[in-house]
Amino acid sequence: MSHIEVAQIIEQIKQEIEVDASGKAKASVRATARLAGVDEKAIRHTLENAEQKPSKLAVMLMEQGFQSAELRGWRTDGIPDKAIAIILEYYAFYANRYCNPQARLVCRSFNTIGIRAWIQEKLGWTKPTTANESALTQIQLLAAIAAQMAEQEQRLLQQQQQQAEILHRLKDVEIEQDRFNTPSGHKYSIVGFANLQGLEISAKEASTKGRKASALCRKQGIEIERIHDPRFGRVGLYPESVLIEVFSSGQN
């Protein structure tokens, strides 16, 4: 007898096993006999004669607290899970020449998890939750959700930090590339550079500094770009390095 064959038997008798609201399980006489690997008549005989001529099996059942009258009722009402375990144990080890390997195999399997737990699992029975248990479940659920959200938030912060670091590195690369492409610095008009430095400058001063900046550009061989300014007409754009020198000399 293999575990596969036992599984097949269990599947066949599944409809003859039930669990009540409290989780107590029971099985029909036929289902119990199939599990134990014996003829159904043998178990029925034990139950029917429990009061007048109790068999060795009946005695074992009554020693565990069952009454002889109860045994007779099991023929129609079904055999309780604890009694099933005793019957399996009997045919596994104490039935002398009626002992069989199937009963031993099933008995060992049930001893591992318990007959009641096994039947509950097979029938998908779960213990009804009380109000306190339901509340606790909700609290645990909320805690789990909160923990999950905290984890997601932490991952988001890490991603944002990584993105900020990447942007910072890209900015450094852009600055270095810009420095390479425009060694003299960005170009500004006189008034634009003054505004950038937070300085006030008159039109006369702007004109004077413009002439100085133009002279420095010609001296250094730098081409002066011209743009249209609505206030001054066409004005020159000078490299930042030139403007720094012009404005610095004007402050001395």
Side-chain angles (χ1 to χ4, degrees):
M1 173 62 64
S2 66
H3 286 284
I4 296 176
E5 291 173 301
V6 171
Q8 291 173 344
I9 292 173
I10 291 170
E11 189 62 29
Q12 292 168 4
I13 65 173
K14 189 175 180 180
Q15 299 302 321
E16 299 179 46
I17 303 173
E18 61 182 58
V19 182
D20 63 20
S22 65
K24 294 179 180 179
K26 62 181 179 179
S28 68
V29 175
R30 175 181 174 276
T32 304
R34 290 291 305 279
L35 283 173
V38 298
D39 193 318
E40 178 182 347
K41 293 179 181 178
I43 295 180
R44 285 194 177 278
H45 180 77
T46 296
L47 301 179
E48 289 172 355
N49 297 281
E51 291 183 288
Q52 287 81 18
K53 295 181 180 180
S55 64
K56 184 178 179 180
L57 173 57
V59 172
M60 286 180 62
L61 289 165
M62 289 186 284
E63 285 177 347
Q64 296 301 316
F66 295 107
Q67 302 298 318
S68 58
E70 289 181 82
L71 273 62
R72 289 179 60 85
W74 293 349
R75 294 176 299 169
T76 54
D77 298 335
I79 302 175
D81 46 22
K82 291 184 178 180
I84 295 173
I86 296 170
I87 293 171
L88 289 171
E89 184 179 6
Y90 172 76
Y91 284 108
F93 308 108
Y94 305 108
N96 298 324
R97 64 190 180 94
Y98 296 108
C99 289
N100 66 82
Q102 177 180 319
R104 284 193 292 272
L105 182 60
V106 176
C107 189
R108 290 194 190 100
S109 299
F110 287 172
N111 286 341
T112 302
I113 62 174
I115 180 68
R116 180 174 297 178
W118 177 84
I119 292 177
Q120 290 173 357
E121 178 188 1
K122 288 299 177 183
L123 298 186
W125 181 88
T126 55
K127 180 182 178 182
T129 56
T130 63
N132 289 338
E133 289 173 332
S134 297
L136 180 60
T137 301
Q138 292 298 320
I139 292 172
Q140 291 173 335
L141 179 60
L142 289 173
I145 293 174
Q148 185 178 20
M149 292 179 66
E151 185 179 350
Q152 291 176 346
E153 184 178 359
Q154 182 63 29
R155 285 200 299 266
L156 180 61
L157 289 174
Q158 291 175 349
Q159 291 174 355
Q160 290 176 341
Q161 183 177 0
Q162 291 172 353
Q163 290 175 351
E165 292 174 355
I166 291 172
L167 290 174
H168 182 71
R169 289 197 295 268
L170 287 174
K171 186 65 176 178
D172 290 342
V173 171
E174 289 175 353
I175 292 173
E176 187 63 28
Q177 186 177 21
D178 188 54
R179 185 179 294 113
F180 176 79
N181 293 332
T182 55
S184 299
H186 293 288
K187 293 183 178 181
Y188 303 94
S189 66
I190 297 297
V191 175
F193 185 77
N195 290 335
L196 187 65
Q197 302 300 316
L199 302 174
E200 293 184 2
I201 187 171
S202 65
K204 183 178 180 180
E205 289 177 310
S207 178
T208 301
K209 292 184 182 299
R211 287 194 295 272
K212 290 182 179 179
S214 296
L216 283 173
C217 285
R218 287 193 294 270
K219 183 178 179 180
Q220 297 177 20
I222 299 173
E223 182 180 356
I224 302 173
E225 296 182 33
R226 300 287 177 178
I227 62 170
H228 177 74
D229 186 286
R231 295 167 296 174
F232 306 107
R234 290 182 64 79
V235 297
L237 293 179
Y238 309 100
E240 186 177 10
S241 59
V242 171
L243 292 171
I244 290 173
E245 184 176 347
V246 169
F247 276 75
S248 297
S249 62
Q251 293 175 351
N252 294 333

